[in-house]
Every structure is written in structure tokens, then in C-alpha cells.
Amino acid sequence: MGNVLNKLSDASQSLRGRKRKRDETDGDESGNDSDLLDQSLHGPKRKKLTSTAKYIYQALFKEERNSDITVHALGKHWHLHKVYLSQSPYFASMFNGSWREADKDYVHIEIIDPKITLESLYSVFGSLYMDEVVLDPKEIVSTLATATLFQLDGLIERCAEVMVETTCADTAVLYYEASCEYGVKRVKQFTFGWLLVNLLNTCRKKANTLRLISVELMEQLITSPDLYVMQTEFGLYTLLRYWMSLKLFPANLTTPSVPVTGETDNDPVREKYFIERTSGVPFLRTPQGAPFERVFRALRLRYLLNHHVDMRVLREDNIIPSDWLHEPLLEQWNSILSVDMSLEKELKCDEQTFLESCMRCGRILPESVTQKWRWTGFHYGLDLMLFSDSRALRIKRHHRTEHERLLSLQVKRQFMIRISLASLNELGQIKHEQKTAIQTISLEKNEETILAVYDRALTFPMLICVNMMLVSPPEKKERRKLAQIVDDEVAECLGQDQARALSEPSSGCSNAPHTPAADATRSSNTIPERSLELVEVPVPSGPLRERVAWVNDS
């Protein structure tokens, strides 16, 4: 009984203690509420009347009430207000400076930019009366042009945001040209990056988009080491051939259904025009082809010469002059001899030289499964296979003697490589991009190594671009020496007159006579096509003829 009474006494004391604490807490809370109430009552409150901006826009802009200035532009009179127009530095300097319109109530603006329309003027003038603006992507270039005319930096920035958000295959080239014209660096950089990723992937399928690319822009894209090349460098040549035909014949906008690869020549546009040309003059040396010469000069020609089918296509097309290929061929042969004699123990190349001289290859990885592939062509005795799974990209120096191909027997071979990976959204914009540093890798026979572990943010389908250098590029002094050797050999074989004709500017056509008799004489004195398919050089008598015959016999 005593224990029960003690427990009841303890419980009663506990309840009284809790009640006191609750009362104290309630007191504190009521004190805090009182303080908050005092603070809320003593400070002014700022609230936005949503109807004010709408009223100003409706009454002053749309209904044109109490107008004190009439603006005449593109044949339309706008009854506006100086106080609102003065938000524009263009009008502010007009109304407050020494202009004759400062004290007048009428202004006539001569619009010479064809991109500025009545719709864009309405949108820009209306934005001065509202705290928001509605921007239609279809009219965004016109709005940007108008905002630039009136120096409205805030509106220009809003236009840039919309242009970045809506960059796709249908708008990328238009936005790039507009950003160059109106100095919007952000849009220029973004659209150029979009084109680097999608030129050979998406634009190849859009004839209207491809045709809009200017010569200057195409040259910059082809030159960039960050260009995502699909398949091999020869894919760039086939793209330029198709792009050039679209520029020459705008009415022919039928996109070939054949994918861009380094080993196909089934382009109907090329078959209909370039193959059927009867002139023996390379197309780039004709008046029609001269404007495109600078773009084809930007190709990395030495990588167009490592597959026999590609060389046959180059010869049949007769677009690139054969003397352009003399120096790359000599460089290739010099590199082959250096590798064969084990003279290249170590690749030495700085970053800039690597990016300017490397071979670019690429492909699309459609799904997260194990895949393996190789890019075809002669790679100085290296058979490099790439393997991709859900988490990493690996490379292997494949060396099996049962395959009938020329393989390097050196124990170790070195090469330089850089990997670029990109996942795109539905507009072709980069969601996530991963780039590795330039790596120098040395592999023994059948050895493999990891090139990159995929970031978790990468998703499939995924674009992969590989920049690779298998042999050291010739130094500038060596390139000049090789070029001089080529010039001397051509001069010795063809004679001074023909050599002088070859050295003429490539933008024009050759003035040398072209007769059937001359063709017959040339064909009887040329190296057989099987040994040198691209170079038609008469073979003199003596030891040189014997060496050529020995090569043919072997």
C-alpha cells in the first residue's frame, strides 16, 4: 500500500512540473508572437499591383492615349510616349541631345535592315511599356535585330536566352549568322559548338540546313579539332562534296539516303555531276569550283589516302587537283619507312601540333551494350580495336598473324589519343560532355588498356570522337624540304613549261592546251594506275623506270 502511495505522489509531482514548463513555454511563445506582431506593424510592405503594368500597356501603348511623340517606321505611325521610349539609349540621345528631333513630336526612322519587320517593331515598342515580353522563336532574329538597333541590352539578353534554348537543326545556322551580325557572343559560341557536334550527324540529313552553311563557316568547322567526325576523315570529304553540290544547284535538295562513311561512294549527286564531267581539269580549278577551294584546303589530306577505295573515289571525282596530294603522299611514305626501320621510338608532339595534325574518327554508340569496332584503312601496321560497355571505353592492339594485313612486328608501339564523349537531348544540344586529356599510350602485341571511364551523367545514345596520332607529324622545315623535293621531281619529269603551269594559282584554270594527241602522249608515258593511282607523272628512262617496274612486279 505504501508503494502505491509513493508512486501516486511521484506522478503528481511530475504532472505539476510539466504544467509549469508548459506554462513557461506558452508564455515565451506569446512573447515571441507579440514581438513578431510589433515588427510586422512597424515596417512598410511592398506589394505589386498586377493590373498597373497591364493598364499602362493597354491604355498607353495599344490605345495610344496621351501620346506626345509619333514614330514613323516601315510605313506605319506609332503614337508613343517619350518617357517610355527614353529607356532606349537610341531615343534618349535623340530626345535629350542636339538632334533636331529633340523638340519635335514627330520622328521618322529609316529602317535599312531587312530583318526588322513590323511585327518585331510592335514587340520591341510594346516591351517598353511592360515588365515582361513574349518572344516567338520564329521571330526571334527580327526581334534581336530591332533590339540591337534601339540598343536595348536587356531585351538582347532575353533574345539570346531564347536562341540558346531553341537551337536545333532548323535554327542553328540562322542563329549563328545572326549572332555574328549583331555581336551576340554567347549565341555565336553555343551555335558553333552545336554545329561541331551535329555537322556530320544531323546536318547531313538536312539538305536545307547544310546548304545555308557559308564557305567561311564551313572552313572553320572543318579546321576545328573539336569537330565530331562520324566514321573517318573521308566522311568529311563526302560531306563537302554533297554540300558543294547543294550550293551549286540549290534546286536539287534531295538528301541521299546513303549514310556518310569512309568507304561508300554511292552518292547520287556525285554520280550525276562530278563523275559525268568530261573536262580533265580538276573541279576546284574551274571558275565554278574556285570559291570552294579554301574549304577543301582545310581537309587533312594525308588521312584521305589510307584506303584504296577512298583513293579511287578521289581520282574518279577529280575535284581535288592531284598535285595537292603530292606532299601528303610523300609524308605518308616517309612515315611508313620510319616505322619500318624503327626510327620512331617515341612520339614527340606538343598539344597544338597534335590538335592541328591528328586523325579524327567517330561513331554513335546507340545503347549501353558491349560493342567492338575498328576504323578501316592503313594505320602504319597498327590494328587498333575499340571496346565499349556500359561503364568504360578500352583500346587493344590487335595482332593476329592469320589476318591478311600488314602488321607492325615491333614489340611496342606508341600513339597519342584524346577521347570526346557527348550525350544529346532531343534538339541535338549537349546534355553532358566528357573529354580526356591527350594521352600517350604504348602497347605490346594484343595488349589493351582503358581509355575512359564513363561519367554517370552520360546517357545513350552517345557520340564518341577520337583524336589520334600514330606517327610524328613532319616538322615545318621537313615539310618545306618535302615540298621542294616534289617540285624538283615534277620539274625534272614534266619539263619547265608543264611545271610552270602546275605552279599557277589554283583558283583559276590551267591555260595549257588540252588536245587528244597530248592525252595520248601522256597516257603512254605514265605510271600504271595500280602503283600510283592519283599522280599522273611521266616516268623518265633509266634507274627510276627500273625501280617503278620492280615495285609493280612485287
Side-chain angles (χ1 to χ4, degrees):
M1 188 66 175
N3 292 334
V4 174
L5 292 174
N6 290 335
K7 291 180 179 180
L8 290 174
S9 176
D10 294 340
S12 176
Q13 293 176 0
S14 175
L15 288 173
R16 285 196 298 270
R18 291 178 183 175
K19 184 177 181 181
R20 283 195 299 270
K21 290 181 180 179
R22 190 181 301 112
D23 292 341
E24 294 173 358
T25 304
D26 292 342
D28 294 340
E29 291 178 353
S30 62
N32 292 335
D33 292 341
S34 178
D35 294 340
L36 293 174
L37 181 61
D38 291 340
Q39 293 175 7
S40 63
L41 292 176
H42 285 83
K45 303 301 176 185
R46 188 187 299 266
K47 297 295 182 181
K48 182 179 179 181
L49 296 176
T50 56
S51 61
T52 302
K54 292 182 179 179
Y55 174 80
I56 293 174
Y57 180 77
Q58 178 67 32
L60 301 184
F61 178 68
K62 298 188 74 173
E63 298 178 10
E64 302 180 340
R65 296 182 190 176
N66 304 322
S67 170
D68 60 355
I69 183 71
T70 298
V71 177
H72 181 204
L74 294 181
K76 180 177 174 60
H77 292 83
W78 311 79
H79 302 288
L80 304 173
H81 306 79
K82 289 185 177 181
V83 66
Y84 288 101
L85 290 179
S86 294
Q87 298 175 78
S88 160
Y90 177 90
F91 286 108
S93 61
M94 179 186 296
F95 298 147
N96 301 320
S98 59
W99 290 30
R100 65 182 181 181
E101 291 86 358
D103 299 325
K104 294 185 178 182
D105 59 359
Y106 176 85
V107 174
H108 179 258
I109 301 177
E110 188 70 28
I111 305 290
I112 60 175
D113 189 341
K115 294 184 176 65
I116 298 177
T117 63
L118 285 173
E119 292 76 11
S120 65
L121 283 171
Y122 186 90
S123 176
V124 170
F125 285 149
S127 70
L128 299 174
Y129 291 79
M130 284 281 285
D131 58 355
E132 64 180 10
V133 61
V134 178
L135 298 174
D136 185 354
K138 296 179 181 178
E139 300 291 334
I140 196 67
V141 174
S142 296
T143 305
L144 174 65
T146 310
T148 303
L149 172 64
F150 297 131
Q151 304 169 25
L152 295 170
D153 293 339
L155 185 55
I156 292 173
E157 184 60 28
R158 300 292 85 74
C159 290
E161 292 174 358
V162 173
M163 294 171 79
V164 167
E165 292 170 0
T166 58
T167 297
C168 62
D170 296 326
T171 61
V173 180
L174 294 175
Y175 286 176
Y176 177 84
E177 298 294 346
S179 66
C180 293
E181 183 174 356
Y182 301 112
V184 188
K185 293 183 179 180
R186 176 185 175 190
V187 177
K188 180 180 179 180
Q189 293 173 354
F190 188 86
T191 51
F192 187 78
W194 189 97
L195 289 168
L196 286 175
V197 174
N198 291 278
L199 180 64
L200 285 99
N201 177 34
T202 302
C203 294
R204 181 63 172 83
K205 306 169 188 176
K206 295 273 189 177
N208 283 304
T209 299
L210 192 61
R211 183 175 61 88
L212 292 176
I213 298 178
S214 65
V215 171
E216 294 76 15
L217 175 56
M218 184 62 82
E219 182 184 13
Q220 293 178 45
L221 292 170
I222 296 298
T223 306
S224 174
D226 297 319
L227 179 66
Y228 275 69
V229 173
M230 292 295 101
Q231 299 302 334
T232 66
E233 290 275 352
F234 197 77
L236 283 178
Y237 168 79
T238 60
L239 175 80
L240 290 185
R241 182 182 63 196
Y242 178 49
W243 164 76
M244 183 168 61
S245 68
L246 293 176
K247 303 287 274 187
L248 291 169
F249 312 108
N252 184 12
L253 294 179
T254 303
T255 303
S257 58
V258 181
V260 180
T261 64
E263 292 93 29
T264 183
D265 58 332
N266 297 322
D267 189 333
V269 176
R270 182 183 68 84
E271 292 176 353
K272 288 181 180 179
Y273 182 73
F274 293 110
I275 281 187
E276 294 178 0
R277 285 178 63 242
T278 56
S279 173
V281 178
F283 184 74
L284 293 179
R285 286 194 170 147
T286 65
Q288 298 90 345
F292 305 98
E293 177 183 344
R294 56 188 290 189
V295 181
F296 281 84
R297 284 280 191 187
L299 288 169
R300 304 186 178 189
L301 295 176
R302 64 182 301 174
Y303 301 117
L304 305 184
L305 307 173
N306 59 6
H307 196 285
H308 70 97
V309 174
D310 299 347
M311 295 183 69
R312 174 173 58 83
V313 172
L314 288 174
R315 185 187 62 185
E316 291 177 352
D317 287 347
N318 195 25
I319 295 174
I320 298 177
S322 61
D323 55 285
W324 286 19
L325 305 176
H326 292 168
E327 185 178 342
L329 281 170
L330 199 56
E331 290 175 0
Q332 291 279 67
W333 182 240
N334 185 65
S335 298
I336 291 172
L337 294 178
S338 298
V339 171
D340 181 63
M341 301 180 67
S342 301
L343 299 179
E344 287 223 6
K345 299 295 184 181
E346 182 179 359
L347 282 178
K348 295 181 179 179
C349 178
D350 57 56
E351 180 178 356
Q352 181 179 353
T353 304
F354 172 85
L355 294 176
E356 293 175 351
S357 308
C358 64
M359 175 174 63
R360 297 166 293 184
C361 308
R363 65 170 300 169
I364 299 175
L365 303 179
E367 52 187 343
S368 178
V369 296
T370 301
Q371 303 175 66
K372 63 179 179 179
W373 70 93
R374 63 163 61 88
W375 285 292
T376 59
F378 180 70
H379 297 146
Y380 304 96
L382 279 177
D383 183 14
L384 298 175
M385 296 188 64
L386 283 87
F387 301 82
S388 173
D389 53 31
S390 60
R391 58 178 296 274
L393 178 70
R394 295 172 290 122
I395 191 169
K396 177 181 180 180
R397 180 188 172 187
H398 193 250
H399 193 95
R400 298 292 176 87
T401 55
E402 62 268 20
H403 297 297
E404 296 183 356
R405 62 173 63 222
L406 294 175
L407 293 176
S408 172
L409 299 179
Q410 297 176 21
V411 176
K412 281 192 174 184
R413 281 292 301 275
Q414 197 176 68
F415 57 92
M416 300 176 70
I417 193 168
R418 186 188 74 167
I419 307 297
S420 301
L421 307 163
S423 298
L424 310 181
N425 62 15
E426 61 277 4
L427 297 179
Q429 300 175 0
I430 294 178
K431 294 191 298 184
H432 184 77
E433 186 175 28
Q434 177 183 352
K435 285 183 180 286
T436 68
I438 300 174
Q439 309 173 62
T440 300
I441 296 176
S442 180
L443 293 180
E444 297 183 358
K445 299 174 184 177
N446 295 312
E447 183 183 0
E448 67 178 63
T449 186
I450 293 178
L451 293 176
V453 177
Y454 298 148
D455 291 345
R456 291 188 177 183
L458 286 171
T459 58
F460 291 84
M462 181 170 64
L463 272 63
I464 176 173
C465 181
V466 176
N467 300 68
M468 188 161 45
M469 181 174 290
L470 304 178
V471 294
S472 298
E475 298 180 359
K476 292 183 179 180
K477 291 183 179 179
E478 186 178 349
R479 294 176 71 96
R480 287 196 294 268
K481 183 182 293 186
L482 290 173
Q484 186 61 46
I485 292 175
V486 170
D487 293 342
D488 293 344
E489 291 182 353
V490 170
E492 181 182 353
C493 295
L494 299 183
Q496 295 299 325
D497 292 337
Q498 292 181 344
R500 195 177 302 111
L502 283 176
S503 64
E504 291 179 355
S506 56
S507 59
C509 300
S510 173
N511 295 322
H514 185 76
T515 62
D519 290 342
T521 304
R522 187 189 306 113
S523 62
S524 64
N525 293 319
T526 55
I527 299 176
E529 292 181 356
R530 187 163 55 88
S531 60
L532 287 175
E533 296 184 330
L534 292 168
V535 186
E536 294 186 357
V537 179
V539 181
S541 58
L544 178 58
R545 175 175 293 277
E546 294 176 1
R547 286 198 294 271
V548 173
W550 179 81
V551 172
N552 290 337
D553 292 339
S554 61

